[in-house]
Amino acid sequence: MNIIDIIFLAIALAMDCFTVSIVSGVITGKWTAAPMLRMSFLFGLFQALMPLVGWLGISFFSASLESVDHWLAFGLLAFIGGKMVKESFEENDEAHPHFNPSRLRTQLMLSIATSIDALAVGISFGCLGYTSLSSIALPLFVIGLVSFLLAIAGHLLGIRFGKTITRRLKPELFGGIVLLAIGIKILATHLMEA
């Protein structure tokens, strides 16, 4: 793969992170540097680590993991998205805290859910002749960096245009629908390829 191919691959992998970051920006509605940078860092980190895990594990568990990775991603996104949709219809009080994309636990779950597809990319790296850690280092770095940058851009876009979106739709409902749609897209794509 040349650098252009790697950049396009990184952009494709980062699209779910970008979308989830827009949703997070819509929900938070304000610029808060620490949670935004932490979420962007986690998205970049997991997008870079998952291909590494796939590449390292190609000989051990690639077949068994490939058969369930889409179900894992769908399950995590459906759980988070369903919870957000449910919370959008509840009263906002102390007994029912609403979805908060600034929480570390939420950010970790979203990072894992949006990066599971990257495992397959790591497996394909093994098939494309990447035989050493030094040969895979550049693609992993580019994937992580692009995901980090697009997550920041998505968060800022969500903050900027969030008021327009949420005039008609509650942020939690909007976010839940988007996460459910991403999960369904991942599941449908993998089932159609099978």
Side-chain angles (χ1 to χ4, degrees):
M1 292 180 91
N2 62 37
I3 190 66
I4 302 298
D5 294 335
I6 293 169
I7 290 170
F8 279 118
L9 173 66
I11 291 170
L13 286 174
M15 283 297 104
D16 290 344
C17 298
F18 178 69
T19 306
V20 171
S21 295
I22 291 172
V23 170
S24 296
V26 168
I27 291 171
T28 58
K30 61 182 184 237
W31 191 85
T32 50
M36 179 187 71
L37 290 174
R38 183 177 62 207
M39 177 181 268
S40 300
F41 173 77
L42 288 171
F43 279 165
L45 177 67
F46 277 85
Q47 286 290 346
L49 284 179
M50 288 295 193
L52 178 62
V53 170
W55 178 76
L56 289 172
I58 188 169
S59 59
F60 298 110
F61 56 87
S62 66
S64 61
L65 186 59
E66 208 171 308
S67 66
V68 298
D69 66 347
H70 52 284
W71 287 105
L72 291 172
F74 170 74
L76 282 168
L77 289 168
F79 172 75
I80 297 167
K83 187 172 186 243
M84 288 173 68
V85 169
K86 179 181 171 261
E87 288 176 353
S88 73
F89 294 104
E90 295 174 352
E91 291 297 319
N92 190 9
D93 60 19
E94 296 306 313
H96 301 285
H98 279 233
F99 177 80
N100 183 355
S102 299
R103 286 190 213 139
L104 177 61
R105 184 179 69 176
T106 302
Q107 292 178 350
L108 285 170
M109 286 180 67
L110 290 171
S111 298
I112 292 167
T114 57
S115 65
I116 287 177
D117 272 357
L119 278 168
V121 170
I123 293 167
S124 70
F125 282 162
C127 299
L128 291 172
Y130 289 91
T131 56
S132 67
L133 193 54
S134 61
S135 68
I136 200 171
L138 177 64
L140 295 178
F141 175 76
V142 172
I143 288 168
L145 179 64
V146 168
S147 294
F148 173 76
L149 294 173
L150 284 179
I152 289 174
H155 197 88
L156 295 173
L157 280 171
I159 292 168
R160 171 70 177 93
F161 297 106
K163 288 184 174 67
T164 305
I165 293 169
T166 58
R167 276 188 212 138
R168 294 188 164 90
L169 200 58
K170 290 182 180 180
E172 289 90 355
L173 182 59
F174 170 75
I177 291 169
V178 169
L179 292 182
L180 286 168
I182 292 170
I184 291 167
K185 177 198 74 129
I186 289 170
L187 184 61
T189 301
H190 282 276
L191 291 177
M192 283 188 217
E193 292 173 358

